Amino acid sequence: MNAKSHLSDITSQSNSLNARPLQWVGMEGVSLPLHILNNKGEQIHTHAKAGIFVSLNKANAKGIHMSRLYLLLNEQLANKPLNGLTPFS
């Protein structure tokens, strides 16, 4: 028998009676690639460490898939070289 068959799907269940908001959850020290344009317009490839955090300040929030935040940030950094003027959306 598969061990996973005994695990319930928490997100399909109603919220706990003890639900409490979380003001700050996330990942710290995440390594991400950076592409930076120097003053000659040349791309410099490097890495940076970032903290990725969110607030789950509603008690009925069941959580967040932190991997989605990492993938979004990684995609943004991979597609937009930074030059000091680049807006980050």
Side-chain angles (χ1 to χ4, degrees):
M1 186 181 284
N2 187 343
K4 288 185 179 182
S5 64
H6 296 291
L7 298 175
S8 60
D9 180 7
I10 300 221
T11 59
S12 66
Q13 299 172 6
S14 61
N15 286 345
S16 166
L17 296 175
N18 298 330
R20 301 279 188 262
L22 296 172
Q23 293 179 347
W24 202 244
V25 295
M27 299 180 291
E28 200 171 307
V30 177
S31 181
L32 293 163
L34 285 181
H35 306 284
I36 301 171
L37 293 178
N38 66 15
N39 58 358
K40 296 177 185 176
E42 302 165 331
Q43 279 196 32
I44 299 169
H45 302 279
T46 188
H47 282 80
K49 291 199 182 246
I52 306 169
F53 298 93
V54 297
S55 173
L56 297 174
N57 56 3
K58 295 182 180 177
N60 63 348
K62 291 186 178 180
I64 184 165
H65 292 283
M66 294 304 299
S67 60
R68 291 180 184 164
L69 293 178
Y70 167 78
L71 291 173
L72 178 63
L73 185 57
N74 190 45
E75 179 184 302
Q76 290 290 316
L77 291 173
N79 293 325
K80 295 181 182 175
L82 303 175
N83 64 9
L85 302 174
T86 305
F88 195 69
S89 56

